[in-house]
Amino acid sequence: MMSAGVQPSDYTVPEEVKAAGFGICGEELGSIVEGRDLKKLNIHGGVAGIAEKLSTSTLDGLTTDSDLLNRRQEIFGINKFTESEGRSFLVFVWEALQDMTLMILGVCAFVSLLVGIVMEGWPKGAHDGLGIVASILLVVFVTATSDYRQSLQFKDLDKEKKKIAIQVTRNGYRKKMSIYDLLPGDIVHLAIGDQVPADGVFVSGFSVLIDESSLTGESEPVMVTADNPFLLSGTKVQDGSCKMMVTTVGMRTQWGKLMATLSEGGDDETPLQVKLNGVATIIGKVGLFFAIVTFAVLVQGLMSRKWQDGTYLRWSGDEALEMLEFFAVAVTIVVVAVPEGLPLAVTLSLAFAMKKMMNDKALVRHLAACETMGSSTCICSDKTGTLTTNHMAVVKSCICMNVKEVNKPLDASSLCSELPDSAVKILLQSIFNNTGGEVVVNKSGKSEILGTPTDTALLEFGLSLGGNFHAERQASKLLKVEPFNSVKKRMGVVLELPQGGLRAHCKGASEIILAACDKVINANGEIVPLDEATINYLNDTINQFANEALRTLCLAYMELENGFSVENPIPVSGYTCIGVVGIKDPVRPGVKESVAVCRSAGITVRMVTGDNINTAKAIARECGILTDDGIAIEGPEFREKSEEEMLKIIPKLQVMARSSPLDKHTLVKHLRTSLGEVVAVTGDGTNDAPALHEADIGLAMGIAGTEVAKESADVIILDDNFSTIVTVAKWGRSVYINIQKFVQFQLTVNVVALIVNFSSACLTGTAPLTAVQLLWVNMIMDTLGALALATEPPNDDLMKRAPVGRKGNFISNVMWRNILGQSLYQFVVIWLLQSKGKGIFGLEGPDSDLILNTLIFNSFVFCQIFNEVSSREMEEIDVFKGILNNYVFVAVLSCTVIFQIIIIEFLGTFANTTPLTFAQWFLSVFVGFLGMPIAAGLKMIPV
């Protein structure tokens, strides 16, 4: 086994590895592949030697005996990376406690406890302080719980993201398997766009270019061949296809070691969160100003009283407590003013939407994508697999100038009898050798076709003509393969024929291949020069196929001189045309309706495809994308346009055919920068990455998509369906509107609480709402309000309004109208209660102030509860529609009401309240309820 000139190594196999039946250990394998050590590889007998030592076969792969697989796993490990430990709940509690305002309140509570206990003894003097402490703890725990739940959700999403399947041969059968189940010795099949799932060595393949930038930072791709056979996990296949044998998995791979040094970073803030943080800062500053003025006014009131009494040098404990209460009220005004619920509402709403979208077959990779999708004004969609089903079949053919329908198996066999034998022979040789797919026998002994949909359709056609894939592959030897890519739009191979001599076959976009032909096989099987009449006939056939929404492919071949070297590229002209096939890719059910929904929602759908323009137009009409006044253009023509001409065309452009990845990128760029559109783009191939990056939101196809496309995308559409994209847009809009509803609700509470406490402090020298009460209101409006309003599911009406786009103001005029109107009502009511309340209720005696303040507090809270219901719709009068379907909303409202009753009736000592009579309860609730008809009336005012 040792090749000449190679010294036997001083490597000894560890005992446990030997006992398990292997001739090499993980460390040695790692050092060979990571060190790219060809010398060491040859010492072990090259790739074949390693395969033997790993007791695998480069043809049949591993045997699937579970005992053997378990032993292999024990020795070499599994293909998983150790994940960073999730943060515990206590960490979130600690983070919630870091809030500055809560810390100040904590200090207030501490001082209040000290002074209170010194003055009034335990437990009477501790009530105020303990009340504040309890409120702080409640806020902290609710915040921590929601953050913790969200982190768990991200973990689940992360798991979903990493579910990658790959083609593997085991026991001689090719099958799809999770990359997590790979073991050393597995034979993996890689194609363009795949991510290399583990470290390994190249077994066989053609034109393999590997992009190693993720590991080395080198942008130049690396050629992988038998002479440089090392493949590292985490790198990507840029071109070609190959079989690799896995040598190292999991944390032992170079990628695994790299992953160990990196810990997962959190999600960045989304644009909406940034916008809202701005709003929060401004409101916070206003609150701070009011708080300082309120404090100053209250202290001034106390001082002037003491001045009149002549006691300003003597301070009693009660007066110190009063000062402290003033300070606590000032701090609490800041707490109420700072809407820390805003970022929380965004996060909650997005996390809720992400979870729901997962059920709707859309995996959102970045939080921001959700809201961006809601404001998108344009979707540039691929045709194949998104608008169509991607289950392709050859339904028409023109072989030897003979046009024939081949829908049914009978058609194919009758086609065979009509064609000359020589032509059938060369057709089958072309179909079975010039392909990226293959026909395999599965476990149940049936033939199964693997490969891209186009390859599969052609192979199926070949089989229906009576061809035998394996016999055809063995008859001649493959010397060179140039795989299909979207720039050349062709695939070519070079064969060494059994009788000697070389032949090239090529297939691809009809007009490109036909232009490379100068001969054709005629009806008698003779090879004749292509004259003008024949060219016109073939072009007409191609157009006729295309107008029936068929994709056309042309097949051709040429004999090569014996002097042809495999190092040279395959020639691009001088071919003989075998024929043209028309492949049907049916439009997905529901696409037409989805496109109509987009149109009514003000979202333009544009189709970008590599197909011939007639095929593209036919399918775009069928989907409802191409309208009478729309423009369809081919990529090469689009490229030639000047900047001005482009800007004239683009607004009406609905179909771009024969487009290259660069055309798609240019189109997206112009739509975004020149026309200010918010663009969503779909893509599945490696070459779609630039367009996916350029777009505001990249949507990758989960089934057909390559790993490269998925990495570049913001959302992965798990079922590759256009209708799912519309669902994503609907959810995105729902998120945006839910947050608007919440902001409207919260700003109303802010405005009222600020003005009430401020005006009351100025006019009467006391604040009607105490620190504990304000904290409870803060709780209702921040955390609970966010929960209730941010989790409204979307309704279909969302898709009947125009998109927000890039320019839209977040706080709209409609919101200002509702906020100001509602605030005015609440302020008037509370002011009336404050000034005339005692007279209305006939309150007298020492408790009258306490009862009145309780009434004001209760009415204020019920105003918020009913306003929360009114906030469910910003413009509709009917706010109860679908309310019972939203369990979270009902639960939050019920809890708020129950807790409010408990606070008033039983927690008086802490919250400075006193139990109310039935009449007083009725009035409080009625005052709150009155806000609803007023909110409905406000909606009648046009803005």
Side-chain angles (χ1 to χ4, degrees), residues 207-390:
S207 337
V208 181
L209 278 181
I210 299 284
D211 167 13
E212 292 190 349
S213 56
S214 57
L215 276 182
T216 61
E218 278 296 316
S219 54
E220 253 331 280
V222 179
M223 272 292 278
V224 172
T225 56
D227 304 325
N228 172 30
F230 306 110
L231 290 151
L232 299 173
S233 75
T235 59
K236 302 192 172 87
V237 183
Q238 205 170 322
D239 202 357
S241 58
C242 69
K243 274 200 317 191
M244 80 173 244
M245 176 170 67
V246 176
T247 56
T248 328
V249 291
M251 293 308 285
R252 282 183 173 158
T253 63
Q254 206 174 335
W255 184 250
K257 289 174 187 166
L258 185 71
M259 293 298 272
T261 59
L262 302 174
S263 61
E264 276 297 294
D267 232 89
D268 292 337
E269 290 207 318
T270 74
L272 196 50
Q273 276 171 322
V274 174
K275 225 182 220 177
L276 289 181
N277 281 343
V279 174
T281 314
I282 294 169
I283 298 171
K285 285 179 182 163
V286 172
L288 190 63
F289 169 75
F290 272 87
I292 293 169
V293 174
T294 308
F295 182 62
V297 169
L298 290 171
V299 171
Q300 192 269 329
L302 178 69
M303 295 311 263
S304 63
R305 207 168 65 231
K306 287 177 71 63
W307 183 258
Q308 282 162 355
D309 299 350
T311 57
Y312 58 91
L313 293 174
R314 285 199 311 281
W315 284 77
S316 68
D318 271 354
E319 285 164 344
L321 266 183
E322 208 173 329
M323 278 290 275
L324 199 73
E325 173 63 27
F326 292 162
F327 185 63
V329 168
V331 173
T332 321
I333 286 184
V334 178
V335 174
V336 174
V338 173
E340 66 270 30
L342 289 184
L344 174 78
V346 179
T347 321
L348 269 175
S349 188
L350 290 172
F352 171 75
M354 280 169 94
K355 202 170 170 64
K356 290 287 190 217
M357 277 152 80
M358 195 67 225
N359 306 339
D360 285 339
K361 295 281 182 278
L363 168 65
V364 180
R365 293 187 65 226
H366 310 127
L367 268 182
C370 210
E371 65 194 48
T372 318
M373 193 65 205
S375 48
S376 57
T377 55
C378 159
I379 299 174
C380 291
S381 172
D382 277 2
K383 177 193 72 95
T384 312
T386 308
L387 298 168
T388 58
T389 58
N390 218 1

Side-chain angles (χ1 to χ4, degrees), residues 6-269:
V6 173
Q7 297 304 310
S9 75
D10 45 9
Y11 171 67
T12 48
V13 186
E15 280 309 312
E16 71 268 23
V17 176
K18 215 181 231 166
F22 304 113
I24 189 166
C25 68
E27 274 66 35
E28 180 76 356
L29 281 169
S31 73
I32 294 174
V33 177
E34 256 190 75
R36 303 182 188 247
D37 195 333
L38 270 174
K39 195 166 140 216
K40 223 185 230 185
L41 180 67
N42 289 333
I43 289 173
H44 285 287
V47 173
I50 298 262
E52 198 172 314
K53 291 182 178 187
L54 279 172
S55 50
T56 181
S57 143
T58 51
L59 275 179
D60 295 342
L62 299 178
T63 50
T64 46
D65 177 358
S66 58
D67 282 354
L68 293 172
L69 290 180
N70 288 342
R71 274 216 308 267
R72 194 176 290 271
Q73 198 168 314
E74 274 160 30
I75 298 285
F76 296 107
I78 54 169
N79 200 27
K80 283 191 178 163
F81 303 125
T82 43
E83 292 188 357
S84 52
E85 277 298 299
R87 298 192 296 172
S88 71
F89 179 67
L90 290 173
V91 176
F92 287 100
V93 171
W94 177 244
E95 280 182 1
L97 278 167
Q98 306 298 309
D99 188 72
M100 195 61 212
T101 41
L102 287 181
M103 286 181 183
I104 298 174
L105 276 174
V107 174
C108 280
F110 177 69
V111 178
S112 169
L113 277 172
L114 265 182
V115 178
I117 292 170
V118 168
M119 289 302 306
E120 302 181 37
W122 174 268
K124 200 166 178 247
H127 288 151
D128 276 359
L130 288 178
I132 299 181
V133 170
S135 315
I136 292 174
L137 288 178
L138 191 62
V139 172
V140 166
F141 275 97
V142 174
T143 313
T145 309
S146 85
D147 283 350
Y148 177 63
R149 284 202 45 205
Q150 201 199 326
S151 81
L152 291 181
Q153 233 163 16
F154 278 125
K155 244 193 148 88
D156 291 348
L157 284 172
D158 242 20
K159 281 202 188 87
E160 275 302 322
K161 271 189 228 175
K162 290 177 184 151
K163 279 186 186 163
I164 302 170
I166 194 123
Q167 297 260 355
V168 178
T169 295
R170 276 194 181 175
N171 257 3
Y173 297 111
R174 233 172 116 160
K175 58 175 187 177
K176 267 197 159 173
M177 234 171 68
S178 162
I179 59 168
Y180 292 143
D181 299 333
L182 289 179
L183 291 168
D186 260 322
I187 300 297
V188 174
H189 302 262
L190 296 174
I192 294 188
D194 284 343
Q195 191 164 332
V196 179
D199 287 1
V201 287
F202 170 91
V203 177
S204 62
F206 297 98
S207 337
V208 181
L209 278 181
I210 299 284
D211 167 13
E212 292 190 349
S213 56
S214 57
L215 276 182
T216 61
E218 278 296 316
S219 54
E220 253 331 280
V222 179
M223 272 292 278
V224 172
T225 56
D227 304 325
N228 172 30
F230 306 110
L231 290 151
L232 299 173
S233 75
T235 59
K236 302 192 172 87
V237 183
Q238 205 170 322
D239 202 357
S241 58
C242 69
K243 274 200 317 191
M244 80 173 244
M245 176 170 67
V246 176
T247 56
T248 328
V249 291
M251 293 308 285
R252 282 183 173 158
T253 63
Q254 206 174 335
W255 184 250
K257 289 174 187 166
L258 185 71
M259 293 298 272
T261 59
L262 302 174
S263 61
E264 276 297 294
D267 232 89
D268 292 337
E269 290 207 318

Side-chain angles (χ1 to χ4, degrees), residues 456-732:
T456 313
L458 271 177
L459 289 172
E460 215 162 330
F461 178 55
L463 293 175
S464 70
L465 292 173
N468 179 333
F469 178 80
H470 294 285
E472 199 62 64
R473 285 302 273 261
Q474 278 149 10
S476 40
K477 185 176 171 209
L478 259 185
L479 296 183
K480 184 178 173 76
V481 179
E482 284 182 3
F484 182 86
N485 75 32
S486 60
V487 179
K488 294 185 305 208
K489 300 202 187 297
R490 59 191 288 153
M491 174 181 180
V493 295
V494 176
L495 302 179
E496 189 181 316
L497 301 174
Q499 63 276 17
L502 303 178
R503 178 178 288 163
H505 279 285
C506 77
K507 69 170 185 206
S510 303
E511 46 274 49
I512 291 172
I513 302 296
L514 193 55
C517 294
D518 53 14
K519 298 182 278 302
V520 64
I521 307 178
N522 70 7
N524 308 326
E526 299 153 351
I527 293 165
V528 295
L530 261 180
D531 55 19
E532 205 170 320
T534 321
I535 289 180
N536 290 341
Y537 173 74
L538 285 170
N539 274 327
D540 289 346
T541 307
I542 291 169
N543 288 336
Q544 177 205 334
F545 284 10
N547 289 333
E548 293 169 30
L550 301 182
R551 294 185 69 173
T552 59
L553 276 188
C554 185
L555 308 172
Y557 78 99
M558 78 184 287
E559 309 295 349
L560 297 172
E561 287 86 43
N562 279 344
F564 177 81
S565 144
V566 182
E567 302 306 313
N568 296 349
I570 300 175
V572 290
S573 61
Y575 285 89
T576 303
C577 173
I578 305 170
V580 176
V581 292
I583 297 175
K584 182 144 187 72
D585 183 6
V587 170
R588 278 181 184 274
V591 164
K592 197 170 181 177
E593 291 75 6
S594 300
V595 171
V597 168
C598 284
R599 186 155 281 148
S600 68
I603 302 171
T604 317
V605 182
R606 294 179 166 89
M607 180 169 107
V608 181
T609 175
D611 277 351
N612 158 324
I613 189 150
N614 293 326
T615 312
K617 281 169 146 178
I619 287 184
R621 282 206 182 89
E622 199 178 329
C623 297
I625 291 174
L626 186 58
T627 54
D628 297 337
D629 59 347
I631 295 176
I633 194 172
E634 288 199 328
E637 192 188 332
F638 177 74
R639 251 167 272 165
E640 298 304 311
K641 301 272 185 222
S642 69
E643 195 86 356
E644 274 170 41
E645 291 175 311
M646 272 191 186
L647 292 181
K648 230 180 249 160
I649 292 174
I650 290 178
K652 287 199 161 175
L653 181 72
Q654 290 171 339
V655 176
M656 175 140 48
R658 280 278 170 259
S659 79
S660 72
L662 195 65
D663 298 329
K664 189 171 177 178
H665 181 255
T666 311
L667 173 65
V668 172
K669 198 167 165 189
H670 275 305
L671 283 167
R672 288 191 64 217
T673 51
S674 314
L675 298 176
E677 302 233 14
V678 179
V679 185
V681 168
T682 75
D684 53 19
T686 308
N687 39 36
D688 288 322
L692 290 170
H693 270 303
E694 174 65 39
D696 292 282
I697 182 160
L699 306 156
M701 298 300 131
I703 301 169
T706 60
E707 283 317 303
V708 181
K710 289 181 194 173
E711 285 297 311
S712 311
D714 304 292
V715 178
I716 298 171
I717 304 292
L718 297 174
D719 59 357
D720 289 15
N721 196 338
F722 187 77
S723 314
T724 307
I725 297 172
V726 179
T727 313
V728 175
K730 189 152 92 176
W731 270 108

Side-chain angles (χ1 to χ4, degrees), residues 812-832:
S812 62
N813 293 346
V814 171
M815 288 163 72
W816 279 123
R817 173 195 70 194
N818 296 347
I819 291 169
L820 296 174
Q822 186 70 23
S823 307
L824 185 68
Y825 162 71
Q826 291 186 13
F827 178 64
V828 167
V829 165
I830 287 169
W831 196 75
L832 267 173

